[in-house]
Amino acid sequence: MLGRGPISAEPRINDRIRVAEVRLVGPNGEQVGIVPVQDALRLAEEAQLDLVEVAPTARPPVAKLMDYGKYKYESAVKARESRKNQSNTIIKEIKLRPKIDPHDYETKKGHVERFLKGGDKVKVTIMFRGREQSRPELGRRLLARLADDVADLGAVESQPKQDGRNMVMVLGPHKRRSEHKAEARAGAAKPRREQRQEEQAGQGT
């Protein structure tokens, strides 16, 4: 490893592309064909774009005409949004028994509704004991009933499946957590606007 620098994860661009020819792709995705790299560089310069090697292992390598600075910025924004959405995804869990009594069912359903309203996913687990394990249809029926009862707030993302002694189903909210936060902020801001309008009206009288 002596004398070698770290391997760059970024593609080679412009005069760093050290091959005789490339398969050139235009800025709108059109196939230009196989051209000498010097011709590709000339086309990039005329269009005020960069020549970016997008498939270095192809034979010949594939290069595309693009605004590399803009491409890097948009890629960073997409990666940041993807990480934010992943961190905002919270999975709550509710556990039920196949022969749950009506009162307990309504309580558990209320928890599921609250989680879905908050933009969270819900993992619903049916716990079987003893002879109940020979009656999986009881669990499926209960999960189907719950999914139907909360259909206005969420939908089934993962169908009921057996997991050892348990049966598991995942419900996802119709609205993401970030959307619920935005609505909550908008709802909190509205009374403040109304209060300022009332104050202004009072000063005018």
Side-chain angles (χ1 to χ4, degrees):
M1 298 300 292
L2 186 63
R4 294 183 181 182
I7 297 174
S8 174
E10 294 191 357
R12 294 187 296 184
I13 65 173
N14 300 327
D15 57 1
R16 294 181 183 176
I17 303 175
R18 306 290 178 84
V19 293
E21 58 186 16
V22 295
R23 185 179 298 277
L24 186 62
V25 179
N28 297 315
E30 66 275 19
Q31 296 290 331
V32 178
I34 297 175
V35 300
V37 71
Q38 293 303 323
D39 290 351
L41 287 168
R42 178 176 51 79
L43 291 171
E45 186 175 356
E46 290 174 356
Q48 296 185 333
L49 295 171
D50 298 301
L51 183 66
V52 182
E53 192 178 49
V54 294
T57 58
R59 291 292 178 269
V62 180
K64 184 176 181 180
L65 298 173
M66 68 172 75
D67 183 336
Y68 186 58
K70 181 180 178 182
Y71 168 77
K72 282 185 65 177
Y73 171 76
E74 291 176 347
S75 297
V77 170
K78 288 179 182 178
R80 190 161 58 245
E81 286 295 321
S82 177
R83 288 194 299 270
K84 185 169 71 174
N85 290 336
Q86 289 175 359
S87 63
N88 284 340
T89 302
I90 297 176
I91 299 181
K92 305 286 188 177
E93 185 174 12
I94 289 291
K95 296 183 178 181
L96 308 174
R97 294 294 309 284
K99 298 179 180 180
I100 188 171
D101 68 62
H103 176 74
D104 285 345
Y105 174 80
E106 290 299 321
T107 301
K108 298 284 188 178
K109 184 183 76 173
H111 293 326
V112 174
E113 290 174 336
R114 188 174 78 251
F115 295 149
L116 292 173
K117 284 179 181 178
D120 297 324
K121 294 184 180 185
V122 185
K123 177 182 176 183
V124 185
T125 302
I126 303 292
M127 300 182 297
F128 295 95
R129 293 180 182 173
R131 295 181 181 179
E132 293 175 348
Q133 297 179 57
S134 63
R135 301 286 305 278
E137 70 276 6
L138 294 177
R140 291 194 182 91
R141 198 177 304 150
L142 181 58
L143 291 174
R145 174 188 171 190
L146 179 61
D148 187 59
D149 286 347
V150 300
D152 290 343
L153 298 171
V156 176
E157 286 196 358
S158 176
Q159 294 294 333
K161 61 182 179 182
Q162 202 77 27
D163 182 16
R165 295 185 178 182
N166 301 329
M167 183 174 289
V168 177
M169 176 181 74
V170 177
L171 296 168
H174 292 316
K175 293 184 179 181
R176 292 181 299 182
R177 191 175 180 85
S178 57
E179 292 174 341
H180 283 282
K181 287 182 178 180
E183 289 181 357
R185 287 196 296 268
K190 185 177 179 181
R192 289 197 294 271
R193 287 198 301 268
E194 293 176 351
Q195 184 178 1
R196 286 198 298 270
Q197 290 172 355
E198 290 175 359
E199 291 174 353
Q200 291 171 355
Q203 292 172 0
T205 57

